Amino acid sequence: MTLTIPSAPGSSGYLDMYPERRMSYFGNSYILGLTVTAGIGGLLFGYDTGVISGALLYIKDDFQVVKQSSFLQETIVSMALVGAMLGAASGGWINDYYGRKKATMFADVVFAAGAIVMAAAPDPYVLIAGRFLVGLGVGVASVTAPVYIAEASPSEVRGGLVSTNVLMITGGQFLSYLVNSAFTQVPGTWRWMLGVSGVPAVVQFVLMLFMPESPRWLFMKNRKEEAIQVLTRMYDISRLEDEIDHLSAAEEEEKLRKHTVSYLEVFRSKEMRLAFFAGAGLQAFQQFTGINTVMYYSPTIVQMAGFHSNQLALLLSLIVAGMNAAGTVVGIYFIDHCGRKKLALSSLCGVIISLIILSVSFFKQSDASSDGGLYGWLAVLGLALYIAFFAPGMGPVPWTVNSEIYPQQYRGICGGMSATVNWISNLIVAQTFLSVAEIAGTGVTFLILAGIAVLAAVFVIVFVPETQGLTFSEVEQIWKERAWGKNSGWGSSSGSNDMDGLLEQGSSS
């Protein structure tokens, strides 16, 4: 079989010639089931992000040393991010060497262990150790889930399916606020809040026993028969031939490179530098525009606005988390209809406006207000608008783009590196937000975030290409053209001679 790559970037190849082969989001229950199962890793990510914001209110009540130290509060929050940073950095290698399935199961074991340590912690320092373990599991999962889903997704719905992982993240955040509210009157409040987080990890571990390995990873590890058996459950015979052609072409190109990719190789290749800069930049701006500041500290922000009751702060934060999840559902639709770039830009415009509203509300809000007052409610409105604009765009776009812009050989390692950038940025913001707010004022802090959002919009316009509906080969060609000009050529690649025999075996299994 021979793969002829379309003649221009942005074309959708054989799907233009055979539109009846296009798959809808709900078109294949097997792919959707795989996506949801892998997305439980996103649920762990989101639950941990959200649960600590409510638990911290009660941890301060139990441990006076925590209540008296903003630094210790920030460390309890951010130690999970240190673990996630290390987990993401090693997650790319774990994915490439052991596969997506084993990487997911490893993350589940580590996360569940961390949840047990947190629930049983006798002092803040053991709690911090548990937070580190949980973060390590979340970091590996944050690399694995988007890549696993992307490699099992048809190109025409890849954005929506990868965004399902982000929906699971926001759903996990919403679930964490429900759990926080449910345990507010229970003895050992924060221990239940943190301990329950181990349940989804155990559920995912069991479900992953019945899930396949990524067909693309199997193919590149020369386990072609296994790969084709998985693919036959995803595509009909006519579409299956095209998918195998793409995998065969990618395999031939990998063989030409004849060496294992190292971290330094990413920076020696001009097109890979461009791709990684775009992907890592998106991940950094996702954090520096303040999303996890809002999610980690939303109850605290609500209290800063004048609503001093723990229960009221958690209730208002629950509404914010619900909007986050609902906004992600909107993003799943628009990311494959409007494109990644337009969605990110429209999202950032709304984020800038929302952050300015938050800034103004804190500049004007009176410290004497006990029930929040007008400007307290304006701050809550700003939080809600921020989430409404951020969730459909800058929530899913960085993860989706990073799951599809790297060639197969670089996908694990670059995905891990870009996720590490996300966690480092997350760590910087979480570790400094309360301190900066104390020194400069909350209004100034949100104004700084608004300025960063403006820079993010410029970055997206200049450096991020549109990848909507493109195959992995077409996306790779974009970087070649950006690096070497339009004359870099599309060419064609041939599949291996034994593909027809393998296809027959896979179809008959």
Side-chain angles (χ1 to χ4, degrees):
M1 300 177 189
T2 301
L3 169 66
T4 303
I5 300 176
S7 59
S11 65
S12 50
Y14 59 83
L15 291 178
D16 285 338
M17 295 183 285
Y18 305 104
E20 70 278 2
R21 298 185 190 177
R22 288 183 177 273
M23 193 177 295
S24 67
Y25 181 86
F26 295 102
N28 186 300
S29 59
Y30 183 72
I31 295 176
L32 191 59
L34 182 151
T35 298
V36 172
T37 300
I40 295 175
L43 186 75
L44 300 177
F45 181 171
Y47 185 90
D48 181 70
T49 300
V51 74
I52 194 60
S53 63
L56 192 59
L57 300 175
Y58 297 93
I59 291 169
K60 289 188 291 185
D61 291 339
D62 275 10
F63 300 122
Q64 280 297 114
V65 65
V66 176
K67 189 171 188 177
Q68 294 167 2
S69 171
S70 291
F71 176 78
L72 201 52
Q73 292 174 41
E74 290 170 338
T75 302
I76 290 171
V77 172
S78 61
M79 188 51 65
L81 305 181
V82 174
M85 183 178 65
L86 295 176
S90 59
W93 176 82
I94 294 171
N95 268 268
D96 285 342
Y97 193 81
Y98 293 104
R100 302 4 175 173
K101 181 175 179 177
K102 288 181 179 177
T104 301
M105 297 173 78
F106 169 76
D108 290 331
V109 171
V110 175
F111 190 99
I116 293 170
V117 172
M118 289 191 301
D123 57 57
Y125 307 103
V126 175
L127 174 60
I128 288 169
R131 294 285 296 157
F132 176 81
L133 284 176
V134 163
L136 197 63
V138 167
V140 175
S142 71
V143 176
T144 308
V147 172
Y148 185 35
I149 295 169
E151 291 185 345
S153 301
S155 60
E156 64 271 25
V157 291
R158 187 172 60 233
L161 289 171
V162 174
S163 296
T164 301
N165 182 60
V166 182
L167 174 62
M168 297 292 274
I169 294 173
T170 57
Q173 291 168 339
F174 181 71
L175 176 64
S176 72
Y177 284 114
L178 285 178
V179 170
N180 284 350
S181 298
F183 287 114
T184 53
Q185 303 299 325
V186 176
T189 303
W190 63 267
R191 296 183 187 277
W192 285 103
M193 291 175 177
L194 299 178
V196 165
S197 65
V199 175
V202 174
V203 171
Q204 185 181 43
F205 184 91
V206 173
L207 291 176
M208 285 302 297
L209 294 172
F210 304 98
M211 289 293 107
E213 182 52 83
S214 159
R216 185 171 284 267
W217 184 86
L218 288 170
F219 206 93
M220 295 306 166
K221 293 296 181 180
N222 206 32
R223 294 161 62 179
K224 296 183 178 64
E225 291 186 32
E226 293 176 65
I228 291 173
Q229 287 175 10
V230 176
L231 289 170
T232 54
R233 301 190 67 178
M234 299 178 176
Y235 305 105
D236 60 30
I237 187 65
S238 56
R239 177 74 181 269
L240 179 61
E241 294 178 6
D242 292 316
E243 295 299 326
I244 294 174
D245 276 348
H246 280 287
L247 289 175
S248 300
E251 182 192 32
E252 290 299 316
E253 187 166 343
E254 297 300 325
K255 286 179 179 178
L256 292 176
R257 294 190 173 107
K258 294 182 180 178
H259 66 277
T260 303
V261 171
S262 67
Y263 289 98
L264 289 177
E265 289 291 329
V266 174
F267 301 102
R268 288 173 181 160
S269 165
K270 187 176 181 181
E271 54 262 44
M272 287 312 305
R273 287 199 304 270
L274 291 171
F276 179 69
F277 182 68
L282 274 175
Q283 294 284 33
F285 278 119
Q286 183 191 65
Q287 295 304 319
F288 283 119
T289 50
I291 178 56
N292 279 324
T293 295
V294 170
M295 299 314 300
Y296 289 133
Y297 295 116
S298 57
T300 305
I301 292 169
V302 168
Q303 288 185 333
M304 286 178 177
F307 301 92
H308 300 297
S309 162
N310 282 0
Q311 287 78 13
L312 179 58
L314 285 176
L315 177 61
L316 292 173
S317 298
L318 177 64
I319 296 171
V320 170
M323 292 188 65
N324 195 17
T328 308
V329 175
V330 175
I332 287 174
Y333 174 82
F334 282 111
I335 200 165
D336 280 320
H337 290 78
C338 298
R340 287 71 159 138
K341 192 166 183 173
K342 289 180 181 177
L343 191 58
L345 288 172
S346 59
S347 174
L348 284 167
C349 289
V351 163
I352 292 165
I353 294 170
S354 304
L355 288 170
I356 291 172
I357 291 173
L358 273 167
S359 179
V360 169
S361 69
F362 278 99
F363 277 128
K364 297 288 187 180
Q365 187 257 343
S366 170
D367 291 336
S369 175
S370 58
D371 60 354
L374 173 63
Y375 294 111
W377 285 107
L378 184 62
V380 173
L381 175 64
L383 279 176
L385 286 175
Y386 176 93
I387 290 297
F389 283 111
F390 186 97
M394 282 302 289
V397 168
W399 295 104
T400 300
V401 169
N402 272 278
S403 73
E404 61 192 4
I405 61 173
Y406 308 118
Q408 174 68 33
Q409 190 180 21
Y410 291 88
R411 192 166 300 131
I413 195 168
C414 286
M417 289 167 65
S418 64
T420 302
V421 170
N422 184 291
W423 287 112
I424 291 173
S425 305
N426 194 337
L427 173 63
I428 292 169
V429 174
Q431 189 67 30
T432 59
F433 174 77
L434 290 180
S435 298
V436 172
E438 285 178 4
I439 295 168
T442 312
V444 172
T445 304
F446 282 117
L447 200 57
I448 292 170
L449 294 176
I452 294 173
V454 173
L455 294 178
V458 174
F459 179 87
V460 171
I461 292 170
V462 176
F463 296 108
V464 179
E466 181 54 72
T467 57
Q468 176 191 1
L470 302 184
T471 65
F472 288 123
S473 298
E474 291 170 337
V475 175
E476 187 174 349
Q477 185 63 24
I478 290 175
W479 300 117
K480 289 179 180 177
E481 291 188 357
R482 287 196 173 198
W484 310 110
K486 293 287 185 180
N487 295 324
S488 57
W490 282 79
S492 63
S493 302
S494 297
S496 57
N497 294 329
D498 60 347
M499 280 299 98
D500 288 321
L502 286 169
L503 178 58
E504 290 176 7
Q505 293 176 34
S507 299
S508 61
S509 59

